[in-house]
Amino acid sequence: MYLEHMTTDLFRDRALKVALVPVGTIEAHGRHLPLGTDNIIPAHLVTMIEGRMHDSLLICPHVAYGHTFYLEEWPGSINIPPTAFRDYMCAIARELVRNGITTIIFLNGHGGNTAALNEVGETISYEGVRTRVISWWDEYASEIAQVTPGSGHGGEDETSLVLAHDADLVQMKNAGVGPEWPEYAEISHLARRAIVPEAMTGDARRATAEKGSALYELIADRICTTIRDYMEEVR
């Protein structure tokens, strides 16, 4: 059930215990994908998950802005400092706990959010709540690679997923090839330019809507299985 669609009486009477919080960001994804790619993909997954789980799960409104240090200099990228993002997400989590939620699943669409979301989980664990951060590209990497071997930031997997959502949002004529994401120890403006010189990694030219549809089915099914496992434990 979507939290923003519920009345206060319905929320009280349903007394749901497991909440899904989709989180993304606004940042450059090469020259072919929209700035909201990391929001579009989780939002599409949420629609599929809601269709499978119906009224048994509380689905919270999407958090659309995140920590985007490495793509900050590209036009349109919106970078929220990690402390501000962490504190905001922690406040949301605490309010869910205050309203009776005992398990919070963050459906994460952006790698820059991961560290802060893990910190949120550690912080509110002392208040008796469980959290799980599902970063879809990492959680199911081995299975995703069977559909789109050329993963990456704005690469084959993300481009395929956005194509499957709405092909009109993708400028495939601008799709290119970026470097593999290196293991960079240095944190500086020079380092981030070297990591993502064209605001992407991987090979976006290999993307198709058909691959994206297959990925959506795979990822949504795996997430629903995880959520059902948590629901069984809280009964």
Side-chain angles (χ1 to χ4, degrees):
M1 302 187 76
Y2 291 100
L3 174 59
E4 56 194 333
H5 296 171
M6 301 173 76
T7 65
T8 188
D9 289 343
L10 179 58
F11 180 86
R12 178 198 60 212
D13 294 343
R14 289 294 300 173
L16 297 171
K17 299 298 182 184
V18 180
L20 180 68
V21 182
V23 190
T25 200
I26 300 292
E27 70 171 3
H29 281 74
R31 300 182 183 277
H32 61 295
L33 285 180
L35 294 163
T37 291
D38 289 347
N39 291 320
I40 290 166
I41 294 170
H44 190 111
L45 287 167
V46 163
T47 300
M48 297 179 72
I49 293 165
E50 197 277 336
R52 287 162 166 76
M53 308 207 66
H54 304 295
D55 297 342
S56 60
L57 172 70
L58 182 69
I59 298 176
C60 298
H62 198 109
V63 179
Y65 299 98
H67 179 51
T68 307
F69 172 76
Y70 284 103
L71 280 299
E72 181 182 28
E73 292 187 355
W74 285 84
S77 296
I78 306 295
N79 179 29
I80 306 302
T83 52
F85 175 71
R86 181 199 63 211
D87 291 348
Y88 181 62
M89 296 306 301
C90 203
I92 292 172
R94 284 198 169 106
E95 282 299 286
L96 290 172
V97 174
R98 187 176 66 82
N99 277 278
I101 296 298
T102 60
T103 300
I104 300 171
I105 299 172
F106 294 112
L107 175 52
N108 182 30
H110 172 59
N113 296 338
T114 306
L117 292 174
N118 286 334
E119 284 190 44
V120 171
E122 290 181 15
T123 300
I124 65 169
S125 69
Y126 293 100
E127 299 172 29
V129 66
R130 302 183 302 176
T131 63
R132 172 75 176 270
V133 179
I134 297 179
S135 299
W136 62 265
W137 67 94
D138 186 40
E139 188 100 0
Y140 315 112
S142 60
E143 293 173 282
I144 288 171
Q146 296 176 29
V147 181
T148 52
S151 62
H153 175 79
E156 183 182 3
D157 51 353
E158 284 194 310
T159 304
S160 294
L161 287 162
V162 180
L163 282 170
H165 173 78
D166 184 351
D168 289 339
L169 296 176
V170 184
Q171 302 293 320
M172 280 302 290
K173 66 180 184 296
N174 295 329
V177 183
E180 294 301 313
W181 194 280
E183 294 295 328
Y184 249 78
E186 176 186 331
I187 299 175
S188 69
H189 288 272
L190 292 175
R192 65 185 182 181
R193 290 191 196 106
I195 289 172
V196 279
E198 294 298 324
M200 67 164 295
T201 64
D203 189 349
R205 301 170 303 175
R206 299 167 59 182
T208 67
E210 291 73 21
K211 292 177 182 177
S213 295
L215 289 180
Y216 276 126
E217 291 293 332
L218 164 67
I219 298 165
D221 284 346
R222 298 298 182 272
I223 293 172
C224 286
T225 297
T226 297
I227 294 171
R228 290 190 184 101
D229 287 343
Y230 279 114
M231 287 179 171
E232 288 295 326
E233 292 176 13
V234 300
R235 284 178 184 171

